[in-house]
Amino acid sequence: MKMSFSRLNLFLLFFHLLILQFSPRISAIRKDVGFQGRRICKNTVLGRYLLSDDNGHVCDALSLNPQSRCCPEKGEKFSCHGCNVVSECCDSYEYCVSCCLNPSRIKEEQVMNVKVAKPATAGKYSNVFDFCAGRCRHNSESVVHENAYLSDFHHCFSLPSNSSAANYTFLEARLNGINVLVGRRGQSCDSVCKSKGQSCVPNKLLVLNQCDIMQKYMSCKGTCLASIGPDQPAEVVDDAPEDLNPGACLFTQTQSMLSCYGSHQHTRRLCPCA
């Protein structure tokens, strides 16, 4: 009986070995299965109340997904809540970033050559989110006298007027919705705009403070000169004293001096009204 049991065991063992020998090999690892990585959002880190992610959504800190660092995809995308879309400035940093991310406002090819800071050695923005996050936070064009904001809407996302991306075509696009008027001699832009039932838009003075733009609206007589004064951009009237360059257009390199209220008895101002 023991002999028969042993033979049976040997037969079963041999049978199993035979199956393993001739059965097709099965790989333990599937190579055709890919693992989709979770997208990690960039965001504006934690503000006092809100943050904006690179999808264009705004949320509070408690709503932020702790794994993806993204805001919930609900509510308005690319929201311009609290923004003046004409001046491209907002009263909230997070909504400024969200509004700026809208592809219809800022395109990636426009920001690739914009420097992060003024020094020649400064790096450039690598993507739209980095541009929006940086531009909305630091913008010298939204201050006056370098120590005070022009208005409560001091988070601005417009391209800097001295960037290589700010070519004539783009400057024209930035004037959409703006009524560009030429004042009479001695008039301020504030009074020019009020005469048409409108208001002067301070940030758009930066756009008009370009020779190409001034030459479209004024004769300039072939001359565009750098000058100093709160009455610019402007054109010197023809009967001005010879030393003031009659007929020349004037722009200022001191952007902090740009003002809706400046005027001069020998110039006619170029004014942005809305």
Side-chain angles (χ1 to χ4, degrees):
M1 186 69 179
K2 287 183 179 180
M3 182 65 71
S4 298
F5 184 74
S6 298
R7 285 179 178 176
L8 180 61
N9 285 341
L10 287 173
F11 174 77
L12 291 173
L13 180 61
F14 177 76
F15 181 72
H16 287 144
L17 289 173
L18 209 63
I19 292 174
L20 291 173
Q21 180 68 27
F22 293 101
S23 63
R25 294 184 178 275
I26 301 175
S27 175
I29 301 176
R30 288 189 61 186
K31 297 181 180 180
D32 61 334
V33 177
F35 295 94
Q36 185 175 4
R38 180 189 295 270
R39 184 181 184 279
I40 305 298
C41 288
K42 288 185 175 183
N43 61 56
T44 54
V45 195
L46 293 179
R48 181 178 293 182
Y49 304 110
L50 301 172
L51 55 83
S52 177
D53 67 18
D54 58 3
N55 287 322
H57 291 285
V58 177
C59 64
D60 58 51
L62 295 177
S63 302
L64 187 72
N65 186 307
Q67 280 77 41
S68 67
R69 310 298 296 168
C70 300
C71 287
E73 294 187 2
K74 61 181 181 180
E76 184 180 357
K77 189 175 184 179
F78 307 130
S79 174
C80 295
H81 175 73
C83 298
N84 183 326
V85 294
V86 175
S87 66
E88 297 178 335
C89 294
C90 310
D91 60 8
S92 161
Y93 171 65
E94 289 76 17
Y95 281 103
C96 175
V97 174
S98 176
C99 190
C100 171
L101 286 170
N102 191 328
S104 68
R105 301 185 185 282
I106 298 292
K107 293 178 171 56
E108 187 168 8
E109 60 268 22
Q110 294 174 330
V111 305
M112 296 303 288
N113 292 319
V114 178
K115 289 184 176 293
V116 175
K118 287 186 178 180
T121 55
K124 298 178 180 179
Y125 291 108
S126 59
N127 55 65
V128 176
F129 177 78
D130 288 346
F131 167 81
C132 293
R135 185 71 174 156
C136 286
R137 181 179 292 111
H138 305 295
N139 187 348
S140 61
E141 296 171 13
S142 64
V143 298
V144 61
H145 306 308
E146 300 182 358
N147 61 3
Y149 290 116
L150 283 168
S151 72
D152 291 336
F153 296 82
H154 55 258
H155 298 286
C156 302
F157 57 84
S158 58
L159 280 169
S161 56
N162 61 349
S163 75
S164 59
N167 53 35
Y168 180 78
T169 302
F170 179 69
L171 289 172
E172 282 285 280
R174 286 181 61 187
L175 292 173
N176 287 340
I178 294 294
N179 187 17
V180 180
L181 301 176
V182 179
R184 298 189 303 272
R185 63 186 300 161
Q187 266 192 309
S188 70
C189 281
D190 179 63
S191 63
V192 171
C193 294
K194 282 182 177 178
S195 69
K196 300 296 183 180
Q198 297 181 318
S199 299
C200 176
V201 183
N203 285 340
K204 295 304 178 182
L205 286 169
L206 291 162
V207 183
L208 299 181
N209 189 48
Q210 313 281 335
C211 289
D212 288 343
I213 296 294
M214 283 190 282
Q215 287 167 352
K216 175 182 177 181
Y217 295 97
M218 297 169 155
S219 63
C220 298
K221 295 190 176 179
T223 304
C224 189
L225 304 173
S227 184
I228 297 175
D231 61 308
Q232 288 139 34
E235 181 183 53
V236 183
V237 295
D238 290 336
D239 60 353
E242 197 63 30
D243 62 316
L244 295 181
N245 300 294
C249 283
L250 306 177
F251 69 95
T252 181
Q253 294 178 318
T254 309
Q255 295 178 355
S256 61
M257 294 192 71
L258 290 172
S259 167
C260 288
Y261 303 100
S263 62
H264 192 282
Q265 61 177 328
H266 293 304
T267 63
R268 301 187 306 144
R269 295 207 59 184
L270 188 63
C271 304
C273 306

